[in-house]
């Protein structure tokens, strides 16, 4: 994992943005890309942007974990929706990715980062090897660790019990 850790302040922030690339998201392609670009653009002039690390992770039938990069240089994804929706598996995998990075920061930088876990999805699981209860347990664990969990719903399938 290539981890951006050259933070410009003693107040590091880390974010995972988990993006659904399943076939059911094809109608939302432009909205997803516009949302990601808007997120990046919001931090261009932010004074502490050098202390914000972002990993863009994508999923459909499988999960692709992105490297952590400074928010101004966050990866632009190739977004061509196709396949099933392994939502719970993706949540568990990306949550572990975030927690490992947070632990690495704590070990190397001797400080605890502020962390957010953001999910862009229509939440219609299809072909998921994990259950809703397992996905929700991963979210509960993140919340217990003080991670902000944010769901950006596309469609109506994501229910409020996923987020806190």
């Amino acid at each position: 994992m290539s981890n951006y850790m050259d933070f410009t302040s003693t107040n590091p922030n880390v974010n995972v943005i988990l993006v659904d690339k399943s076939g059911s998201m094809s109608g939302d392609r432009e909205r997803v890309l516009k949302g990601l670009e808007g997120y990046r653009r919001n931090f261009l002039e932010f004074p502490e942007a050098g202390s914000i690390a972002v990993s863009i992770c994508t999923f459909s039938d499988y999960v692709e974990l992105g490297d952590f990069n400074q928010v101004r240089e966050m990866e632009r994804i190739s977004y061509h929706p196709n396949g099933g929706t392994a939502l719970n598996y993706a949540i568990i995998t990306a949550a572990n990715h975030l927690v490992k990075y947070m632990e690495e920061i704590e070990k190397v930088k001797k400080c605890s980062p502020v962390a957010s876990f953001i999910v862009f999805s229509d939440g219609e699981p299809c072909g998921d090897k994990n259950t809703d209860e397992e996905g929700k347990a991963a979210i509960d664990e993140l919340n217990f660790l003080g991670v902000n969990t944010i769901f950006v719903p596309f469609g109506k399938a994501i229910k409020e019990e996923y987020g806190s």
Side-chain angles (χ1 to χ4, degrees), residues 31-80:
R31 287 179 50 211
V32 168
L33 293 172
K34 191 176 190 177
L36 290 171
E37 179 55 27
Y39 177 89
R40 185 192 69 79
R41 199 174 37 250
N42 282 331
F43 291 104
L44 290 178
E45 302 301 322
F46 187 67
E48 289 194 29
S51 287
I52 302 171
V54 179
S55 171
I56 306 295
C57 303
T58 60
F59 73 97
S60 58
D61 294 312
Y62 55 91
V63 181
E64 293 180 43
L65 299 174
D67 290 336
F68 282 91
N69 296 297
Q70 190 181 74
V71 69
R72 290 180 180 134
E73 297 161 8
M74 69 184 237
E75 295 175 317
R76 290 187 170 81
I77 62 170
S78 170
Y79 191 75
H80 304 285

Side-chain angles (χ1 to χ4, degrees), residues 148-159:
N148 300 306
T149 53
I150 303 150
F151 286 82
V152 180
F154 291 82
K156 298 179 180 160
I158 285 217
K159 297 176 179 60

Side-chain angles (χ1 to χ4, degrees), residues 8-163:
T8 58
S9 79
T10 56
N11 183 32
N13 286 261
V14 296
N15 301 307
V16 161
I17 302 177
L18 180 61
V19 180
D20 185 343
K21 285 176 63 171
S22 65
S24 61
M25 292 289 290
S26 61
D28 291 308
R29 181 180 185 281
E30 294 305 316
R31 287 179 50 211
V32 168
L33 293 172
K34 191 176 190 177
L36 290 171
E37 179 55 27
Y39 177 89
R40 185 192 69 79
R41 199 174 37 250
N42 282 331
F43 291 104
L44 290 178
E45 302 301 322
F46 187 67
E48 289 194 29
S51 287
I52 302 171
V54 179
S55 171
I56 306 295
C57 303
T58 60
F59 73 97
S60 58
D61 294 312
Y62 55 91
V63 181
E64 293 180 43
L65 299 174
D67 290 336
F68 282 91
N69 296 297
Q70 190 181 74
V71 69
R72 290 180 180 134
E73 297 161 8
M74 69 184 237
E75 295 175 317
R76 290 187 170 81
I77 62 170
S78 170
Y79 191 75
H80 304 285
N82 191 12
T85 310
L87 175 64
N88 295 299
Y89 174 69
I91 287 172
I92 293 164
T93 303
N96 287 334
H97 178 58
L98 176 60
V99 170
K100 286 179 186 174
Y101 187 57
M102 291 170 58
E103 290 170 349
E104 193 173 330
I105 291 170
E106 289 170 2
K107 182 176 149 187
V108 172
K109 297 292 188 179
K110 310 288 188 244
C111 64
S112 297
V114 175
S116 296
F117 186 79
I118 305 163
V119 181
F120 284 29
S121 180
D122 62 7
E124 297 178 21
C126 173
D128 200 336
K129 64 183 179 181
N130 291 96
T131 65
D132 288 352
E133 290 73 27
E134 292 168 316
K136 291 173 194 169
I139 295 297
D140 288 344
E141 180 62 24
L142 288 175
N143 292 149
F144 178 77
L145 294 173
V147 175
N148 300 306
T149 53
I150 303 150
F151 286 82
V152 180
F154 291 82
K156 298 179 180 160
I158 285 217
K159 297 176 179 60
E160 66 275 356
E161 60 264 17
Y162 263 104

